[in-house]
Amino acid sequence: MKTAILLAALSLLLSACATPPPVSGSVESKFGGIRLLPDGRIEITVNPKSAK
């Protein structure tokens, strides 16, 4: 039983040290947007002000 608990704890610790899965997403507003790309880069866009 102790061996099974030890192996389970070891597998959890090893998975915690692995690289995280790629994350992506975006936030948009009327002023621009922010995108998080899967390779870790951040892309910021700014919309120009409309002139009257």
Side-chain angles (χ1 to χ4, degrees):
M1 186 65 180
K2 289 182 182 179
T3 306
I5 293 172
L6 181 63
L7 289 175
L10 184 60
S11 67
L12 289 174
L13 287 174
L14 288 177
S15 65
C17 295
T19 57
V23 177
S24 63
S26 65
V27 176
E28 299 288 329
S29 72
K30 64 180 182 178
F31 301 113
I34 299 174
R35 286 183 17 177
L36 178 62
L37 302 173
D39 60 354
R41 292 182 295 145
I42 297 174
E43 186 176 281
I44 300 172
T45 57
V46 178
N47 296 335
K49 281 187 168 181
S50 59
K52 290 186 178 181

